[in-house]
Structure formats: C-alpha cells, structure tokens
Amino acid sequence: MLTSLTRGTTKRRWKHAPAFFLILVVILIQLFDWSVIQLPRERIDGLIYDLKVKRLPPWPESVTNIQIVDIDEYSLAAVGRMPWSREHFANLTSKLSQLGAIVISFDVLFAEPQHNPAEAVLSQPEVSAKFDSAMLNSIQAQFNYDQHFADAITTTDVILPTLFHRELDTSSGLALQIGALDSQGVLQTQPDLPLTIPTYPGFAGVLPKFAPVARGQGFMNSFEDADGFIRQVALLAQVNGKVYPSLALETFRVYSLVDHLIPQWEALQGKAYLTGLSVGDQFIATDNESKIYIPYRGTKRTFPYTSAANVLLDEINDNRFDQAVVFIGSSATGLADLRSTPVELGFPGVEIQATIFDALITPSEIPYQPEWWREAMLLQLLAIGLLCFLFFPNRTPGVTTGLSVLFLSGVIGLNLLLWFGMSIYLPLFSPLLLTVLLSSYFISRGFFFENKKRRQVKAVFDQYVPPAHIDRILQDPESVNLSGEKKELSVMFSDIRSFTSISESMQAEELKLWLNQFFSPITRVILEHDGTIDKYVGDMVMAFWGAPLDEPKHASKSIAAAFSMLEQLTILNHTFAQRQQPLAQIGIGINTGEMNVGDMGSDFRRSYTVIGDAVNLGSRLEGLTKFYGVDILVSEYTQQQASDYHFCLVDRVKVKGKVKPVTIYAPLAKQVTEKMLEQNLQFNLAIESYFAQEFYAALTILKQLDDFSNPHLLTMYFQRIEHFVANPPPSDWDGSFTHTSK
C-alpha cells in the first residue's frame, strides 16, 4: 500500500517532466552560444528585429543639415569609372567647402599614393634636359594630385576613412598595415587588460600626406550578422593596443567640436568591458563590444542625395550645402558598397554612415541592448514557465488555447513596450518559442486526456501519447540567399585586340582617356540590353544575362548586345580616326549554361558575380575569335537558345582544360541579305560534311562559295581538307580541333 502511494506521488511529481525539459532546453538555447543553435537563433531573432525596426517611433527631426554626395552611375558616366583621380576628390572637397559644407566625411578609402604621370615623362634625360629645376618642380607639382587633395582638405573639416582587417602578408606572415592611423580622437583610458571591443591586427589607413591635414580618421568596417544583414555597428575598435573611432563617430566628434572621445571601461574578471563613451556632455550607451543598433529612418534615399557630377560640374544653384555635414560615398552597383539591411537590400553604405551620425546626435533615442539583457531574458523565461504551470494544467484544450494566445500577446506586448517606450532591444524568439512549446504541450496533453476520458481507457504508461512537436516556428519565404544560387545564364567576354601595342603607343593619361571613351558606350549598350556588368579587367569587359532578374531570352539578348557593341565600335573608331588615335577591334565570346551567381568575395570587398565551367568556356571563346577571323563566337548551348538568329557553323573544338568537344558558331546580323543567308547555309552543309569525314563533298561545296563573307574560314578549311585527304583521320575522329592555348 505504501509502495503504491509512493509510486503515485512520484508519477504526479514527474507528470510534467517534459514541460520542465522544454524550459531547460529553451534557456540553454538562449544563454549558450553553441554554433549549432546560435546561428538559427540569431537568424530568427534578426528577422523579428527587422520587423520591429521598420516600425520604430518617428525619429526626432534632425537639427543638422545632413547631405549625401553620391558617386552614382551618372557620376561614373560623366566623370569616368572608378578609381577616380585625386584631382576629382580635391575639386569635390573645394567646391563643397565653397558651397558652405562645414564637415565632409569620406566613405572612400585613400590608403595608397596616386602615381604622378609627370614623373615618368620628366625622368627621361632627353625631356628633363629641356627644363631647369624650378620648371621641373613646377610641372611635377601641377600633376601631383595627392598634394592637390591634401591642400583641398585644409579648406574645411574633413574626416577620412580607414579599413581594419585581418589579412596577412603572404611573404612575411605579418598583418598588412598600409598608410597612417591617427588615434588622437579617442582618449586612451583603457586599462592594461584584454578589451572586449573588436580587435584587428592590420589596417589600410590614410596616405601619410593626408593624415596631418585631415581633421579626423574613422574606420569604415561594416559588421554583418550571421545572415549577412547589417543591424549593428561598432563605434570603437582596437589596433596595435590603441582604440580608434568609427567613421560616423569621428564625424560626430568633429561636428560637436569635441577634442576627445572618452570611453568608459569597467574591469571585471580580468577583462576591460566597455559600458559606453562620452562625447562632450553626452553619453552614448553601447554593449560590451562597443556596438549599437542602427535606427534606420526608412529605405534608401531618406537623406537628400546629390550626384557628385552635379557638384563637380558646378550645377548646384541652391543652398542645400549651407552649414551641412556631407557624407561622400557611392551607390553605384559595380562599386561593391551596397549592403543588406533590415529596411532594404542594396542599401548604400554611405547612407548607413549618415544614419549612424544622425542617431548619435540624439543618443537617448538609439535602440540598445543593456548589459543586463541576459539576466532579463533568464528572468522572463522563468516567469513564462511559472505562469504556464499556474494557469495551463487541468484546462480543456479550448481554454488552454485562449490562454496561450493571451500569453503570446503579453510576451510580444512587453517586448514592444520596452522597444517603443524605452528604446530597449531584447530578443523575442526564445520567449515566443517557450510560450508556444509549453502551450503546445499542455494543449496536446489536454487533447490526450480528453480523448482518454471519453473512451474510458485506463491510464497506463505504455499508452501515453507525447505532445505534438512544432516543426516550424517561423518561416521567411522572402529570405535572401547571400551564399548564391545556381542558374542558367549567358555570359559574355569582350576584349580589345592588340591592346598591348595600343597601350605602348600612348602615354598613361592618353590611354586612360582612350579607354574611358571605349568603355562608356560599350557599357551603355550592355545595360540597354538588360545585361549585368560583372567586371572590367584591363581592356576586358565581362557581363552576364539572366541574373539578378530572370530573363527567359538571355541568350538572344546577349547576342543582340554583342552586335550593338560592334555598331558602337564603328562609330567610336570614326571618332578615334578623326583624333588620330588608335582604332579598336574587339573579340566577343558568349556561352550559355549553369553558373553559380551571387554576392561573393571577402570580408573587405565583395561583388555580385558568376563563376563556373560555363563562365570559363565563354572566356575561351573570346580568345578564339581572332583565330577564326570573326568578331563574335558563341557556343552550341547559346545557339540552341537563340532561335531568332541565323548562325555560321565555325568549328568543333576542344578548348584548353576541356576534354569534351564543343561546337561553336558565329551569329549573323539580322539585316543580312538573302544571298548571304544562302551562302551561309551552303557553308554550314560543307562543314557538316567535313565533320562526317566526307571531305570531297565538303570541298566541292566550299569551291562554289566565291563571295563568302569570311575568306579566312574558307582558306582554313581548304587547308584542313587537303591535309585530311592526304592523311585521313582515325575512324573514331569526332571532327574536333584541339586548341592548346587560351
């Protein structure tokens, strides 16, 4: 009897052991940073945070005139592709100062010197002998654009950016440290203990010539969450034992006319923890890593934008820059400064800096995560568990469901009250998870016991039905895959032929202008045909079709763009001839296939690009255009998808690095004559006979093509056929020609 009672008491004591287990699991998920649970937890908390940040209370009207000068696509077209000469930045700084700007903050790195084009010319004895030393110095000074920029910086308060990194020199194994760093903006009060703020061994500072004349320096590093979104920013970081400010913080210090930022440290358990920092009589609360949450005002272009070209071309006729704090950066797609943020993908990095600066003006309104947030989360989870045990047991499923909705509303309401009322950010995922799991457990348990009572089945242990598991807590169908995706695309490579000879015949400045004249219309044509510019490498242009937006006719559009590029080249060469400049000839290779496309790169520079074997084949095809005497070569995969074009069958080849042969074609322009189409058809029949080892039939057809548009191809196949007639190929010959070079 006593044993029976003891067993009954024990069973009653442990009847809700699964609920206790759920509480323990959720507490462990929240408090421990194990990678297996940390990443999904932070991802879901990040999504919830994104929903909240889009609904921040109205931010106080800024008392500062904040302007953004944007190196946009219009600027690149009007002034030239990046990197710009320092002369442009000198002019930009001087003109903004004249227009009334009081602080100018650059989100453009100036770590390395710009080559003085006059030095190479004047170093030649036959040239330098024509001038005296004063004249030589005067000429070199005229083209010393770094000095011009340094002189322009002195006209107003300018903040220059630095970039911290962990990159090592491959030869020495030491951290790369380029340029100069200035830590005078931060009072170095940290104790001789390990700091909890971000620490870097390397940096790209500013050119030593700029450091003395700049009003301040700040690092421009972005701090992405595990899902690639920028929700927080570090205001301080450490390099070589010294603490440095972020770009926005240093801009705020200069604007506030404060000599030093004063970090507030607290020594605890052998480490120095940051509690915040003082800027004059204002205190900015941060977490231990010096991070604050970015209170985005809205989507991009919340702040007024002005194209850099408008400033450089003196097109500003109003007082928008009067007493303004100006941030200079880029929103151009190809310059890799577009970020993923809670409010919008492709958010310009320069506007993130402006947003942080604006928030620092009113630090009390910045959402922050207090240092006691972990204790608060633990207390909240325990309170949820206690309330569920008080109200949920022995209730019907319907009542438990109603109470669950009430509890969920209370958890969300408390979190939003702290957010909107006190600007305190606490994670919401774990409280929601615990409430849902406990609710599910008690609702499931209620259904189980109601069903057991209705059927009058004795309660025995082996008939116990466990609570239903929740398979999915949150879903985000619009989530962005930053790791990329595999898609069928068309890629194009275009290269200037004999570019080495052209470059050797021109001075550096002339070559730069000549390339700018070449790239501008070529780029415009690609964009007009819905292409995506991947990169410029020397004289080569790489573009692709079908991403980021789906394009069913990507093969046809890439070919149409290629023909338009040739048309623009004809017009461009006419201009070059009038100016007695070298003419340009290009080869274009196009391939279609599966490629990996996405945002790829390193922590320091990223780009939206494509990679894969299909991309490499496109590059090889471009290299073969000169061999076959054609302007455009496409693969059989592109030819199959561009049914609105006629093609000339050029060859079956094995390119370097490939074993499987690929049939290649030269597309025909849509305005070709009927006679040209007929001749092309006969030529294609001849080449097919050639592939089938019917050499005499192929030779008979080729001899009838007296007016064929590509005599180089005719000659090449005459020579091949004569060789194979004298030296027949093996029986398993597949008709391919092997190219051993790129």
Side-chain angles (χ1 to χ4, degrees), residues 166-176:
R166 296 181 173 85
E167 185 176 350
L168 300 179
D169 188 342
T170 54
S171 60
S172 65
L174 301 176
L176 288 174

Side-chain angles (χ1 to χ4, degrees), residues 448-517:
F448 168 71
F449 281 107
E450 276 200 353
N451 185 59
K452 183 181 67 171
K453 182 178 179 180
R454 190 165 46 248
R455 296 184 179 184
Q456 296 183 347
V457 178
K458 293 182 180 180
V460 290
F461 182 75
D462 58 0
Q463 292 178 334
Y464 179 77
V465 179
H469 294 281
I470 307 297
D471 295 323
R472 289 184 179 179
I473 304 302
L474 294 171
Q475 286 184 335
D476 181 20
E478 298 178 356
S479 60
V480 177
N481 185 4
L482 293 179
S483 63
E485 59 180 326
K486 180 171 283 188
K487 292 182 66 175
E488 184 183 72
L489 309 172
S490 292
V491 65
M492 169 197 287
F493 288 83
S494 172
D495 201 42
I496 300 176
R497 294 173 180 169
S498 303
F499 179 72
T500 301
S501 301
I502 294 174
S503 62
E504 290 175 350
S505 66
M506 303 175 72
Q507 299 295 332
E509 190 68 21
E510 294 175 333
L511 180 63
K512 182 190 73 172
L513 294 175
W514 186 85
L515 280 174
N516 288 343
Q517 294 175 77

Side-chain angles (χ1 to χ4, degrees), residues 190-211:
Q190 64 271 22
D192 188 18
L193 293 171
L195 306 184
T196 56
I197 64 175
T199 301
Y200 298 87
F203 61 84
V206 303
L207 199 64
K209 181 179 295 186
F210 301 152

Side-chain angles (χ1 to χ4, degrees), residues 499-697:
F499 179 72
T500 301
S501 301
I502 294 174
S503 62
E504 290 175 350
S505 66
M506 303 175 72
Q507 299 295 332
E509 190 68 21
E510 294 175 333
L511 180 63
K512 182 190 73 172
L513 294 175
W514 186 85
L515 280 174
N516 288 343
Q517 294 175 77
F518 169 80
F519 280 133
S520 294
I522 295 300
T523 300
R524 185 184 68 252
V525 164
I526 293 174
L527 296 177
E528 287 175 350
H529 287 81
D530 301 327
T532 300
I533 299 292
D534 188 300
K535 62 175 68 72
Y536 302 91
V537 181
D539 59 314
M540 185 271 288
V541 181
M542 176 182 171
F544 54 89
W545 280 258
L549 297 179
D550 291 336
E551 175 50 65
K553 296 184 177 180
H554 50 81
S556 295
K557 286 202 171 185
S558 63
I559 296 175
F563 279 115
S564 294
M565 289 166 65
L566 295 177
E567 294 173 3
Q568 288 295 319
L569 189 62
T570 301
I571 299 172
L572 195 59
N573 278 332
H574 179 70
T575 303
F576 286 156
Q578 291 179 335
R579 298 176 181 174
Q580 298 183 342
Q581 293 178 316
L583 305 183
Q585 297 296 327
I586 62 174
I588 301 173
I590 300 174
N591 183 42
T592 299
E594 280 199 340
M595 310 168 194
N596 289 311
V597 58
D599 180 34
M600 306 176 193
S602 68
D603 291 341
F604 315 110
R605 186 176 295 275
R606 307 184 67 83
S607 65
Y608 188 73
T609 188
V610 291
I611 58 175
D613 286 342
V615 179
N616 298 334
L617 179 56
S619 176
R620 299 291 190 270
L621 294 181
E622 181 277 318
L624 295 178
T625 54
K626 188 175 183 180
F627 180 86
Y628 290 102
V630 296
D631 294 321
I632 308 172
L633 273 179
V634 306
S635 69
E636 58 186 278
Y637 315 113
T638 304
Q639 180 262 348
Q640 293 166 3
Q641 296 202 27
S643 58
D644 46 347
Y645 280 91
H646 295 282
F647 293 86
C648 173
L649 177 56
V650 174
D651 203 354
R652 183 175 294 155
V653 300
K654 293 178 181 176
V655 298
K656 186 174 182 181
K658 291 290 185 181
V659 176
K660 183 179 178 182
V662 178
T663 306
I664 59 176
Y665 298 83
L668 304 182
K670 290 189 175 181
Q671 61 270 25
V672 295
T673 63
E674 290 293 332
K675 181 179 179 181
M676 293 177 65
L677 288 176
E678 179 61 29
Q679 292 240 331
N680 184 72
L681 178 61
Q682 293 300 315
F683 180 81
N684 289 352
L685 290 174
I687 304 308
E688 290 174 355
S689 299
Y690 166 80
F691 291 156
Q693 302 189 36
E694 299 172 358
F695 299 122
Y696 289 106

Side-chain angles (χ1 to χ4, degrees), residues 431-445:
L432 289 180
L433 177 64
L434 181 58
T435 305
V436 170
L437 288 178
L438 290 178
S439 299
S440 301
Y441 165 77
F442 282 108
I443 290 172
S444 301
R445 195 171 188 277

